Amino acid sequence: MDAKRRDIAPKLLDWYDRHRRDLPWRAAAGAAPDPYRVWLSEVMLQQTTVATVRPRFAAWVERWPTFADLAAAPDEDVMGAWAGLGYYARARNLLAAARTIARDHAGHLPDTEAALRALPGFGDYTAAAVAAIAFGRRAVVVDANVERVVARLFAIRDPLPAGRRAIRAAADTITPDARAGDFAQAMMDLGSAICTPRKPRCLLCPIAGDCDALAADTPEAFPVKKPKAARPHRHGTIFWLERDGAVLLVRRPDKGLLGGMRALPTGAWSDAPPGLADAPTAADWRLLDEQVSHGFTHFTLDLALAVARTHHAVNMGEWWPIARLDEAGLPTLFAKAADAVRRAG
């Protein structure tokens, strides 16, 4: 590592001390971080923006302020509170980890990367981030913002995702032994506020003089990415079945998308519109003109909406009062479908 690289941490930490973001999960300067808040925020932020997470984080910690409180929460309450925050597998892992911490670690989060990786849902990034930010351990923390900063700083030309190995190795060379948690958060703040994906504010960057991409006048060329493949498109039908002021809800299988969540019945999602195939029961089904579209990471989806009424018993699911449907914790996709049906009258 050359002398220029060794100067990065002091300059960046000085900038951070003056410009750090005020975030509800971040400890005040000089105060000890709360490991529970650090962990929770890192999981929430993996697929979601800070603006979205702020109010959701506040509501969550008011409801479940400690590991023990979360460990004791019913699964369906946690799943419902997670709606709109990304993959539900992460919420299931949150709950599993909280219960493991309460049962096996006396309610305290382990303070090393190795011990953290043994907990449900702790991959390399989360273990490193929590070890550094919550406990001050030296750890190499690379999220999307840090990835972008480091790729530009070293002008790493290996395209993602293969280039992540080189980016992590480069990040390791500039991560200090002291204040590793502050350094990680400084890199995140720099990527969020200054080293942005488009039109980076290089004149305001505290380490602009060290940036190889800026020296070549090509910061927006990094990180190098392979062209995105088109996402497959699928079709399906959501079934809205009413009886005596209630609507039929089912529990999705534990494995797969939206696993374990309450949802409106739906058949298979396939390459062609399935129409009324896989309807939950025989009824006078009517297809609405409106459809619901939704995008997952690996595919996009168009869903037709079929509605019917019945006075008969149905051997599946549960009848949920329509007036209290907002309390069912439906995933975003099914909440959108419910809103569309109610708008259609």
Side-chain angles (χ1 to χ4, degrees), residues 36-337:
Y36 175 73
R37 286 174 168 251
V38 172
W39 165 63
L40 177 62
S41 67
E42 287 299 332
V43 177
M44 283 188 168
L45 287 164
Q46 283 176 22
Q47 284 181 287
T48 320
T49 64
V50 167
T52 298
V53 167
R54 274 182 185 270
R56 303 295 296 277
F57 177 88
W60 188 289
V61 295
E62 182 177 356
R63 188 173 186 181
W64 301 301
T66 67
F67 289 109
D69 294 316
L70 181 57
D75 290 40
E76 58 268 23
D77 290 354
V78 174
M79 296 299 109
W82 192 261
L85 288 172
Y87 287 128
Y88 286 90
R90 291 191 292 121
R92 291 195 292 274
N93 282 331
L94 268 176
L95 192 52
R99 289 171 177 168
T100 300
I101 292 162
R103 184 186 65 243
D104 299 339
H105 299 279
H108 299 288
L109 199 61
D111 64 358
T112 66
E113 280 189 81
L116 289 166
R117 283 195 196 98
L119 295 171
F122 275 79
D124 289 344
Y125 167 76
T126 305
V130 173
I133 298 169
F135 301 110
R137 301 280 189 180
R138 186 190 184 279
V140 182
V141 182
V142 183
D143 72 351
N145 282 319
V146 177
E147 183 176 270
R148 185 168 57 255
V149 172
V150 174
R152 290 171 175 173
L153 189 64
F154 291 86
I156 294 173
R157 299 188 178 280
D158 300 344
L160 300 179
R164 291 195 171 107
R165 179 175 295 182
I167 289 171
R168 190 187 186 284
D172 194 6
T173 69
I174 60 172
T175 299
D177 293 330
R179 298 189 67 187
D182 285 345
F183 180 80
Q185 293 176 105
M187 291 285 279
M188 295 173 188
D189 282 8
L190 188 73
S192 174
I194 304 294
C195 196
T196 50
R198 294 190 179 92
K199 297 182 180 179
R201 304 163 70 191
C202 298
L203 291 176
L204 300 178
C205 179
I207 54 174
D210 302 293
C211 182
D212 291 344
L214 179 60
D217 198 28
T218 58
E220 289 190 60
F222 299 93
V224 179
K225 299 179 181 179
K226 288 183 177 179
K228 286 186 177 180
R231 287 186 291 177
H233 189 70
R234 297 179 185 169
H235 302 267
T237 303
I238 285 179
F239 297 94
W240 176 279
L241 184 63
E242 285 190 35
R243 188 183 76 177
D244 300 328
V247 63
L248 180 67
L249 299 183
V250 296
R251 186 78 65 174
R252 290 184 62 81
D254 288 337
K255 301 289 186 180
L257 283 173
L258 313 177
M261 297 297 297
R262 285 194 189 98
L264 295 164
T266 179
W269 297 341
S270 53
D271 293 337
L276 298 177
D278 298 320
T281 189
D284 187 15
W285 292 102
R286 175 173 59 92
L287 286 168
L288 301 181
D289 292 334
E290 186 169 0
Q291 290 192 334
V292 170
S293 298
H294 195 74
F296 292 102
T297 303
H298 301 298
F299 66 94
T300 56
L301 182 64
D302 280 339
L303 290 163
L305 302 174
V307 299
R309 296 180 184 271
T310 187
H311 299 290
H312 304 293
V314 177
N315 190 27
M316 64 185 301
E318 60 185 317
W319 293 100
W320 193 277
I322 296 172
R324 294 176 38 230
L325 192 55
D326 292 345
E327 301 171 21
L330 295 179
T332 301
L333 165 61
F334 293 97
K336 286 162 55 174

